[in-house]
Amino acid sequence: MKATSTTETQTGAPTVPAPGFTPQQLFRKQAAGEALSPNGEDNVHRHVLTVLIDNTIGALNRVANLFSQRGFNLESVTVGEAKDPAHRRLTLVTTGNDRIIAQVLRQLSGLIDTIEVDDLTDEDHVERELCLVKVRCAAADRAALLAIVEVFRANVVNITPDSLTFEVTGPTAKVNAFIGVMKDYDLREVARSGRVAMRRRLAFEH
Amino acid sequence: MSTPSAQLETTATTADTETDRQLATGAEIFIRSLEAEGVEYVFGHPGGAIISIYDEMHRIKPSFQHILVRHEQGGTHAAEGYAKATGKVGTVLVTSGPGATNTVTGIADAYMDSIPMVVFTGQVPTHLIGNDAFQECDTIGVTRSITKHSFLVRDVRELAATVKKAYHIASTGRPGPVVVDLPKDVLAARAPFHYPETTSIRGYSVVGKGNQEQVRKAAQMIAEAHRPLFYVGGGTIISGGSQKLTELARRTKIPVTTTLHGLGAFPETDPLSVGMLGMHGTYFANMAVQNTDLLIAVGARFDDRVTGKIEAWAPHARIIHIDIDPACISKNVPVDCPILGDVAQVLDQLDPLIEPAEHDEWLAQIDVWKRECPMDFRRDGKLRPQEVIRALRDHTRGEAVVVTDVGQNQMWGAQFYSYVHPRSHITSGGLGTMGFSLPAAMGAALGLRGQNRDVISINGDGGVMMNIQELGVAAAHGLPLKIVILNNGYLGMVRQWQELFHQERYSHTHLEPTNPDFVRLAEAFGCVGLRCTDPADIQDTIEAAWAVTDRPVVMEFRVVTEEKVFPMVPAGAATDNMITAQFSPEDCA
Ligand SMILES: Cc1ncc(C[n+]2csc(CCOP(=O)(O)OP(=O)(O)O)c2C)c(N)n1
Ligand SMILES: [Mg+2]
């Protein structure tokens, strides 16, 4: 069977669907968040998820394993005890098109150890990341550097004769900007916590 | 002063031994838990880490029967066959280290095919875990991505409740394998035995009914469709929805195609059946899929062996997808109307909302395709494997349970037997594990003992050797298995690909030089061995085999090496791009 041609023709747009697709096929591509034209962009986005899991042996392994097993991206993970010490809350950052993200959510919910899975990306939420930055800095240059980090409200957490260590907390963009500026100096070491995130309104009972 | 203290001491000792007597060892708790769970068979193999369980079994004489398999992989496939044939959970018991790693293939197989199975593995004592102790293996780690869930029991007081959870998780929702790792010291420790009646697991709930709004939407889509098609998978059989589906399809005159695992969910003898779809599906099933305007997927998962080139698949179809596993919905193909729920329950919801209908034009078109390219084979006086399968079907009137291995024999077994009952076709579909059939058939035969069902195991000369050791087990238990070996002297399916896609470079697929004499092999294991080399003798061979009722019979059929499985959709091609059989109709009876 030959497939019928495209539903609609758009003029001069790079998004003109590749010819040869039936309306059904176009629907499926769209639903999958896939590019409609051969060289169009896949609608890949970054998503921030929080996951509440049982605090049992192996639970964290299963979550992490899921990402490699299913070929999902995992940009960062943070874990810590939740309100109830029997649980742990994870904040995960992952990327993918809509279909893949839907899959990530379903697969995560499918794990026996997961209690709640929540995609915060399009919800009103707060996000924070903590970052430690160590810069080589002679005593004579300290004052200049301290003036700059002041702008980012970074704290000095350690001073040695030839180095300064800062702590900066904030949304990821701020942390990125801070590290960017520090690259102009003798940046030696970066340690980032990865994001933690939470809805602004009451969402979870846990 | 000394007297009361001495008295105290004595009382303390008596009290201790008394509680000791009331307390059971982990090994006993394990056995009592399986009994309480209603386990009928344990497919097991002993070893150091679980020797205490075997010792307790010797003492207690439990209500279940332990089947000593000769390789742990065989044990897992036997448990799978038992589970597939009966719908109950299969149980496996193995020792730590190599015992556990030998079960990996069977666990992966059960995971891919949604088979309820609990595998109990021995483990080194808890204080040695992580120390590379003798026969230590991180079983939980090794099996993490091939289990529905797994448990390491660290405290004997949690043993019984963990067994309960394991069976619950394995058998509910989308079924699957669960591993329970049992350290040796936990089996030796003591605790009171109490088997919980129910269990609830916080992060685990099982869906039942579908969303009524979605069901209504589906009914509307069905009413609007001109060329609807049921696409039925193994989930329908698992949920017990086959009967309902059959009624619904007949009442609405909607044709039915099934997947490999869906075979038997709808009688293939019904005119509405278009048989199996996909890579080796019928021409008419694949044509129906490519032309349908409404695909109703029921307990199926849009596997790549079904869809071929996914963008080109079912290009005109809106899709309804009924499935119990949320992760299956829109995994490979986004669907228009997903219904999350138990197939049988959703079909019950759907039934009253659907009017009987006629689809005369559509059914007439399907009939044209059926005549264009029927399922047949060449009859030229040579022994063809398809003819063997047809003869088996005729002899058993399609009533046997057929357990196939992997390769060409699997596809001929799927294409030519005509399945009419759910759970009458058992195979390794998702993982495609050679060596599955023989032990799985053994498990099925045990599960169906006393029910007067024939169990036929269909094998290639390659795969049958991969778990041939279980022949002795089947013989020891007097199972009247009918074991068919379609001996084409080759790893036939690989040979077929080499012939079609690798310019006939038959690299390392010739088996004849290393094949045993299968008749003598059968006899060495205490079975009856028969050989057939001429199509004229097929009938006699089958009759001779069925005359044996107290042990397995191995029938070796020396079939044509060059025979191929058709139709065939080359991997990655569109499913209407089929290579069909190249015999002329005159050759067919
Ligand atoms: C354990 C395992 N190893 C390899 C394969 C790849 N494979 C698939 S079919 C096949 C050939 C099987 O040969 P045989 O058992 O003789 O069956 P035939 O195809 O000849 O009927 C092979 C090697 C597999 N499926 N499983
Ligand atoms: Mg062969």
Side-chain angles (χ1 to χ4, degrees):
Chain A
M1 285 299 296
K2 196 81 222 131
T4 59
S5 77
T6 59
T7 31
E8 48 191 303
T9 36
Q10 293 167 357
T11 41
T15 50
V16 170
F21 288 115
T22 66
Q24 277 312 310
Q25 289 174 314
L26 284 177
F27 160 79
R28 283 181 218 154
K29 278 181 162 296
Q30 221 149 13
E34 280 168 25
L36 292 186
S37 62
N39 42 13
E41 289 280 304
D42 241 17
N43 289 315
V44 173
H45 295 293
R46 177 170 286 110
H47 283 247
V48 181
L49 319 177
T50 77
V51 182
L52 195 70
I53 62 172
D54 268 328
N55 190 5
T56 51
I57 306 159
L60 182 60
N61 287 325
R62 278 191 203 93
V63 172
N65 184 71
L66 186 70
F67 281 79
S68 59
Q69 179 189 352
R70 302 274 168 190
F72 301 141
N73 272 322
L74 185 54
E75 290 195 353
S76 80
V77 197
T78 66
V79 204
E81 206 170 84
K83 192 189 87 187
D84 179 345
H87 302 148
R88 290 174 177 211
R89 182 174 298 284
L90 277 67
T91 308
L92 307 172
V93 180
T94 178
T95 54
N97 65 25
D98 295 353
R99 185 177 68 90
I100 290 170
I101 296 299
Q103 248 339 90
V104 170
L105 295 172
R106 290 198 193 102
Q107 294 282 2
L108 279 173
S109 318
L111 292 177
I112 313 277
D113 310 291
T114 54
I115 296 162
E116 292 274 10
V117 180
D118 194 16
D119 184 355
L120 301 183
T121 316
D122 296 327
E123 304 296 329
D124 192 13
H125 70 279
V126 281
E127 260 179 59
R128 287 293 178 272
E129 183 171 359
L130 184 142
C131 175
L132 295 176
V133 175
K134 196 186 291 163
V135 182
R136 191 182 159 91
C137 177
D141 303 329
R142 259 182 219 153
L145 198 52
L146 287 172
I148 289 169
V149 302
E150 178 70 7
V151 178
F152 287 89
R153 297 213 198 117
N155 297 323
V156 181
V157 291
N158 195 37
I159 301 181
T160 69
D162 61 352
S163 80
L164 284 171
T165 304
F166 303 113
E167 173 211 310
V168 63
T169 307
T172 297
K174 174 181 163 186
V175 172
N176 288 343
F178 181 69
I179 294 171
V181 170
M182 288 302 109
K183 279 183 181 158
D184 289 343
Y185 298 87
D186 198 354
L187 177 63
R188 288 305 172 99
E189 224 176 292
V190 174
R192 300 175 71 149
S193 67
R195 294 183 221 198
V196 289
M198 194 176 271
R199 280 179 188 246
R200 285 185 193 275
R201 61 179 178 77
L202 284 174
F204 281 120
E205 286 302 302
H206 313 291
Chain B
M1 277 292 135
S2 67
T3 325
S5 109
Q7 251 176 1
L8 259 180
E9 260 176 9
T10 357
T11 9
T13 333
T14 3
D16 248 22
T17 35
E18 225 156 74
T19 25
D20 255 19
R21 250 184 259 127
Q22 284 164 4
L23 298 180
T25 62
E28 183 178 350
I29 290 173
F30 171 76
I31 291 168
R32 297 290 181 214
S33 299
L34 296 200
E35 288 182 328
E37 195 54 49
V39 170
E40 297 176 309
Y41 293 101
V42 173
F43 300 95
H45 199 290
I50 51 167
I51 197 165
S52 60
I53 293 177
Y54 280 83
D55 201 37
E56 284 292 298
M57 259 195 251
H58 192 78
R59 186 177 71 82
I60 294 176
K61 310 277 180 286
S63 61
F64 55 80
Q65 196 181 342
H66 178 273
I67 306 290
L68 174 62
V69 293
R70 298 302 298 270
H71 188 295
E72 290 87 348
Q73 185 190 349
T76 53
H77 295 325
E80 289 183 277
Y82 168 84
K84 285 277 262 183
T86 63
K88 301 173 194 165
V89 182
T91 304
V92 181
L93 172 63
V94 300
T95 193
S96 65
T101 54
N102 273 350
T103 64
V104 166
T105 303
I107 294 171
D109 194 89
Y111 184 66
M112 291 290 269
D113 285 347
S114 312
I115 297 175
M117 175 164 87
V118 180
V119 179
F120 296 97
T121 53
Q123 185 52 278
V124 301
T126 40
H127 67 274
L128 287 180
I129 289 179
N131 282 346
D132 299 327
F134 177 62
Q135 294 196 328
E136 178 180 359
C137 164
D138 174 14
T139 305
I140 299 288
V142 167
T143 60
R144 186 172 295 129
S145 56
I146 51 171
T147 46
K148 186 171 172 188
H149 198 59
S150 50
F151 295 97
L152 170 63
V153 183
R154 286 179 168 269
D155 186 335
V156 67
R157 286 166 298 183
E158 285 164 14
L159 178 55
T162 305
V163 172
K164 178 80 197 174
K165 281 184 192 164
Y167 279 89
H168 177 67
I169 292 170
S171 59
T172 51
R174 180 179 180 176
V178 176
V179 165
V180 183
D181 211 16
L182 304 169
K184 188 166 180 169
D185 54 332
V186 171
L187 295 174
R190 286 171 180 272
F193 171 64
H194 165 69
Y195 198 68
E197 299 234 310
T198 55
T199 182
S200 84
I201 300 159
R202 186 83 191 276
Y204 182 67
S205 57
V206 176
V207 295
K209 279 190 165 183
N211 177 309
Q212 189 61 28
E213 218 23 70
Q214 290 294 96
V215 173
R216 214 168 282 136
K217 184 176 162 197
Q220 180 66 29
M221 287 166 75
I222 293 172
E224 287 165 10
H226 301 290
R227 303 187 302 279
L229 178 68
F230 275 116
Y231 152 43
V232 175
T236 309
I237 295 173
I238 294 172
S239 83
S242 312
Q243 185 63 34
K244 192 86 221 173
L245 174 98
T246 305
E247 285 165 23
L248 198 59
R250 284 179 175 158
R251 193 162 65 75
T252 53
K253 299 278 190 311
I254 297 177
V256 180
T257 180
T258 73
T259 67
L260 182 62
H261 280 316
L263 289 172
F266 183 79
E268 291 195 279
T269 46
D270 191 297
L272 285 170
S273 169
V274 291
M276 183 172 79
L277 82 170
M279 181 176 270
H280 290 298
T282 64
Y283 171 78
F284 30 99
N286 284 333
M287 289 308 283
V289 170
Q290 292 307 86
N291 289 280
T292 177
D293 64 353
L294 179 68
L295 201 61
I296 312 160
V298 189
R301 63 182 176 93
F302 302 80
D303 176 69
D304 57 272
R305 283 292 185 266
V306 159
T307 62
K309 185 179 176 187
I310 204 143
E311 306 90 85
W313 192 66
H316 308 287
R318 297 211 281 169
I319 302 176
I320 299 168
H321 186 192
I322 308 171
D323 206 286
I324 199 161
D325 181 7
C328 261
I329 301 233
S330 297
K331 180 171 70 183
N332 300 334
V333 180
V335 299
D336 305 69
C337 178
I339 306 177
L340 187 61
D342 176 67
V343 164
Q345 294 188 44
V346 173
L347 290 178
D348 275 339
Q349 288 172 271
L350 202 51
D351 191 49
L353 304 179
I354 301 182
E355 298 293 319
E358 301 293 328
H359 302 102
D360 293 342
E361 228 174 285
W362 175 226
L363 293 177
Q365 172 63 65
I366 286 176
D367 270 343
V368 170
W369 287 323
K370 280 186 177 176
R371 281 194 302 274
E372 254 172 48
C373 186
M375 289 305 289
D376 214 332
F377 54 92
R378 184 175 292 160
R379 291 171 179 80
D380 55 358
K382 292 186 185 154
L383 185 48
R384 305 266 167 196
Q386 301 94 325
E387 190 170 354
V388 175
I389 308 287
R390 275 277 154 89
L392 288 165
R393 180 201 64 183
D394 293 343
H395 189 82
T396 55
R397 291 182 303 282
E399 296 287 327
V401 173
V402 178
V403 188
T404 63
D405 208 67
V406 169
Q408 293 181 310
N409 62 86
Q410 177 182 37
M411 291 301 126
W412 290 318
Q415 292 175 332
F416 289 94
Y417 190 83
S418 305
Y419 297 91
V420 290
H421 299 299
R423 301 197 181 279
S424 67
H425 172 259
I426 299 173
T427 197
S428 164
L431 199 66
T433 308
M434 283 170 70
F436 171 85
S437 172
L438 181 53
M442 181 174 87
L446 285 166
L448 299 172
R449 229 176 189 174
Q451 293 183 30
N452 208 14
R453 295 281 302 273
D454 290 321
V455 178
I456 306 174
S457 163
I458 293 175
N459 302 271
D461 48 326
V464 77
M465 292 302 290
M466 287 199 179
N467 274 311
I468 195 73
Q469 74 285 346
E470 306 307 334
L471 211 46
V473 181
H477 291 277
L479 296 174
L481 283 180
K482 310 300 178 212
I483 299 155
V484 174
I485 301 174
L486 298 175
N487 184 357
N488 51 12
Y490 270 86
L491 294 167
M493 187 55 96
V494 182
R495 186 193 178 285
Q496 170 164 346
W497 285 49
Q498 289 173 330
E499 181 181 334
L500 296 176
F501 311 118
H502 297 268
Q503 288 77 46
E504 304 183 30
R505 290 186 295 272
Y506 300 121
S507 179
H508 298 278
T509 44
H510 192 202
L511 293 180
E512 241 167 337
T514 53
N515 270 347
D517 177 330
F518 286 109
V519 171
R520 284 168 58 199
L521 185 74
E523 284 163 359
F525 274 114
C527 307
V528 174
L530 303 169
R531 178 174 295 123
C532 175
T533 54
D534 188 327
D537 299 334
I538 294 177
Q539 208 51 46
D540 288 350
T541 308
I542 290 177
E543 273 162 27
W546 258 259
V548 179
T549 54
D550 61 345
R551 72 191 74 181
V553 183
V554 175
M555 290 164 267
E556 181 202 1
F557 293 91
R558 289 274 179 91
V559 299
V560 177
T561 292
E562 293 76 22
E563 191 62 56
K564 285 176 283 297
V565 181
F566 290 125
M568 177 177 196
V569 179
T575 46
D576 48 0
N577 193 356
M578 279 168 277
I579 308 172
T580 50
Q582 287 144 11
F583 52 81
S584 52
E586 310 80 81
D587 283 340
C588 304

